[in-house]
Amino acid sequence: MNSLTDFLLNRSSEPRLQAPAPDQNVLNTALACAARAPDHALLRPWRYLIVEGEGLDALGELFARSCADEADNQKWEKLRKSPMRAPMVIVGIASPKVHPKVPEIEQVMSAAASMSFLALALQDAGFGVMWRTGDVAYSQSVAQGLGLAEGESITGFLYTGSIVSEKPRVPRPEVAEFVRRWPQ
Ligand SMILES: Cc1cc2nc3c(=O)[nH]c(=O)nc-3n(C[C@H](O)[C@H](O)[C@H](O)COP(=O)(O)O)c2cc1C
């Protein structure tokens, strides 16, 4: 088994993260990997925002302000604190272009593939990552606060940092459960 296959078979998302976050060199390499995602017509339909330090407080404020029910103090506070679950949050943004042969959905899929490559590269460098979305990923006010343009969308928030403790193993499906030969 080659090292990439072995790595993929053993990778897990890690929710319990702490400082230090990846340094600029590690980040640059991982972002270069993100740019190697399959990309029909080379439209580069993705971009990223790196959020650290006080930026995490600002992101928490944005999350909290997106909360429809402002009377729910507990929910507000939970959203406000949620970016602090990691020392770095990388916002993945799908940025589709108008193209005669490449529909928007292909570009959003490419952005998701790019996010996966980014996550895997960060894990390969020894960091933990957790791809999260939730209502905040689809909130108009969060999108606005992060400066998304018309037509852009959030692919996810990649919580990134050093692993505090590995999560318990997640059961993985058997290949036969999700694959058939066609025609049978
Ligand atoms: C698009 C997308 C959005 C996700 N959003 C969340 C989320 O908001 N909260 C969460 O706990 N897990 C979320 N996940 C799942 C985790 O990132 C992770 O894949 C899951 O916990 C399974 O762990 P594993 O990657 O080790 O299999 C999301 C995954 C994807 C692909």
Side-chain angles (χ1 to χ4, degrees):
M1 201 181 295
N2 70 42
S3 60
L4 177 59
T5 306
D6 199 38
F7 166 71
L8 290 173
L9 284 171
N10 288 293
R11 69 149 288 283
S12 278
S13 302
E14 293 298 346
R16 284 181 288 275
L17 301 169
Q18 65 183 359
D23 64 22
Q24 196 60 51
N25 278 341
V26 170
L27 204 52
N28 285 347
T29 303
L31 289 162
C33 291
R36 300 301 288 261
D39 170 16
H40 193 175
L42 308 183
L43 297 174
R44 318 301 188 216
W46 57 71
R47 61 187 188 94
Y48 295 94
L49 302 173
I50 312 297
V51 186
E52 286 184 278
E54 288 176 3
L56 296 172
D57 296 310
L59 187 61
E61 286 296 326
L62 267 187
F63 283 2
R65 273 192 264 130
S66 77
C67 181
D69 186 3
E70 295 194 13
D72 187 341
N73 276 344
Q74 259 185 339
K75 191 172 172 197
W76 173 280
E77 198 49 23
K78 193 174 168 213
L79 281 171
R80 201 184 60 75
K81 283 188 181 155
S82 59
M84 286 61 161
R85 287 177 289 184
M88 174 182 284
V89 174
I90 305 175
V91 187
I93 298 169
S95 192
K97 319 287 184 298
V98 176
H99 190 278
K101 288 196 178 139
V102 188
E104 185 181 322
I105 188 171
E106 289 191 9
Q107 299 186 49
V108 175
M109 288 194 287
S110 179
S114 169
M115 183 85 149
S116 286
F117 282 20
L118 174 64
L120 292 171
L122 289 167
Q123 288 180 306
D124 190 40
F127 291 91
V129 295
M130 180 88 180
W131 184 339
R132 295 181 187 273
T133 48
D135 290 345
V136 289
Y138 311 108
S139 151
Q140 193 72 35
S141 66
V142 171
Q144 234 170 31
L146 290 172
L148 268 68
E150 186 74 29
E152 289 188 322
S153 56
I154 291 171
T155 48
F157 300 96
L158 196 63
Y159 285 68
T160 304
S162 302
I163 299 168
V164 176
S165 60
E166 289 184 5
K167 75 171 181 195
R169 282 192 163 268
V170 174
R172 306 294 175 181
E174 294 297 327
V175 170
E177 290 171 26
F178 61 91
V179 181
R180 294 280 182 275
R181 295 271 177 182
W182 186 90
Q184 289 187 344

